[in-house]
Amino acid sequence: MVVYAGQGDPRRSIELLWRGSAAEKRPGPKPGLSVDAIVEAGIAVADEQGMAFSMRAVGERLGRTAMALYTYVPGKNELVDLMYDRTMAELPASYPLDDGWRPAVTRWAHDMWECYGRHPWVLQVSQARPVLGPHEFGVTESLAAILVSTGLPGRQLRGIAGALNYFVRGAAQTVAEARAASGATGEADEEWWYARSAVLLEIEPDLAEKYPALHVLESDREPVDPELPYLENDAVENFRNGLRVLLDGVEASAAAVAKP
């Protein structure tokens, strides 16, 4: 399920994201609800139910009807935008550069990875159309501030920032899907792999000879965490090793630019 941001009224959506909302400024007694309370409830419901959550479920969490929410948030499209941007507020606004850019980027990548793990539904919000909220901008700014310190030119940094974002998001997507697979299919990971690998080896016993390069890739493997399912272990290992290789490339590029 892919959700595209920015499907509501542009002015109303941007006002809500940047808190220019008239609903937050109404005269009279303090309202029993607020945009912030609805957004927090929406995140909690989505963390439990995924992106298929309803406005009714959000209202029930607040002890209200769905209709009561529409005074503050026009609909689910706008609420998802607000929820997405709020999750980005969990990430640090900046990273110290005392030890250099590489540890800072590594910390940024791990923070993003962990945020996706806490809120896997965020991965269903397409990057084709950004939310354009302040915290989304803030996450991009925090990474850009680290990368600028490498001394590399802007055009090259844009490619690096994009590669890092795609890499972290893709690795987190694999973990999210691996965790959801058992519930969605009714079959545990271990059962799925055991049943199919046994049949595959029975039908094609010469896999290693047919695919020798792939066999090399699979031969030197140790689980990162024996408690994790196979595919999640694979994603964690790829994330750690892949991030290191990416940053090796950035470091080499920065060293080349720094040469007199």
Side-chain angles (χ1 to χ4, degrees), residues 43 82-91 115 119 121-122:
I43 291 172
L82 292 164
M83 289 161 52
Y84 179 96
D85 199 62
R86 178 64 59 83
T87 62
M88 296 297 105
E90 297 177 9
L91 298 161
C115 183
H119 311 293
W121 55 269
V122 166

Side-chain angles (χ1 to χ4, degrees), residues 137-154:
F137 274 104
V139 170
T140 305
E141 173 69 15
S142 66
L143 176 60
I146 300 169
L147 295 178
V148 164
S149 70
T150 64
L152 290 166

Side-chain angles (χ1 to χ4, degrees), residues 23-225:
E24 295 290 289
K25 300 178 179 179
R26 288 195 308 273
K30 186 176 180 181
L33 279 179
S34 68
V35 173
D36 286 338
I38 294 168
V39 171
E40 293 296 341
I43 291 172
V45 172
D47 287 348
E48 295 171 359
Q49 301 180 12
M51 192 60 83
F53 76 91
S54 65
M55 292 293 280
R56 179 180 177 180
V58 177
E60 288 176 349
R61 194 173 190 92
L62 293 165
R64 304 298 180 91
T65 65
M67 290 302 296
L69 309 184
Y70 295 129
T71 302
Y72 301 85
V73 180
K76 183 176 176 179
N77 288 333
E78 291 86 355
L79 179 56
V80 168
D81 289 357
L82 292 164
M83 289 161 52
Y84 179 96
D85 199 62
R86 178 64 59 83
T87 62
M88 296 297 105
E90 297 177 9
L91 298 161
S94 62
Y95 289 83
L97 294 169
D98 300 348
D99 297 322
W101 64 266
R102 184 160 181 155
V105 171
T106 301
R107 186 65 263 163
W108 176 91
H110 279 269
D111 286 344
M112 284 298 301
W113 166 277
E114 291 165 9
C115 183
Y116 288 138
R118 290 191 298 273
H119 311 293
W121 55 269
V122 166
L123 295 161
Q124 294 177 260
V125 180
S126 173
Q127 299 296 284
R129 294 183 179 179
V131 169
L132 300 179
H135 302 302
E136 183 182 57
F137 274 104
V139 170
T140 305
E141 173 69 15
S142 66
L143 176 60
I146 300 169
L147 295 178
V148 164
S149 70
T150 64
L152 290 166
R155 179 175 295 180
Q156 198 165 354
L157 292 180
R158 282 196 299 276
I160 293 168
L164 285 166
N165 272 299
Y166 296 146
F167 171 74
V168 176
R169 186 181 174 91
Q173 184 85 53
T174 300
V175 172
E177 291 173 2
R179 290 175 177 174
S182 295
T185 64
E187 187 176 21
D189 268 4
E190 292 79 6
E191 295 171 2
W192 190 94
W193 283 106
Y194 179 79
R196 281 153 185 80
S197 59
V199 174
L200 181 60
L201 288 174
E202 178 187 333
I203 295 173
E204 290 290 346
D206 301 325
L207 277 177
E209 289 73 23
K210 286 186 175 181
Y211 305 102
L214 181 57
H215 180 67
V216 171
L217 266 60
E218 295 295 324
S219 61
D220 186 18
R221 179 187 293 276
E222 290 184 9
V224 176
D225 182 348

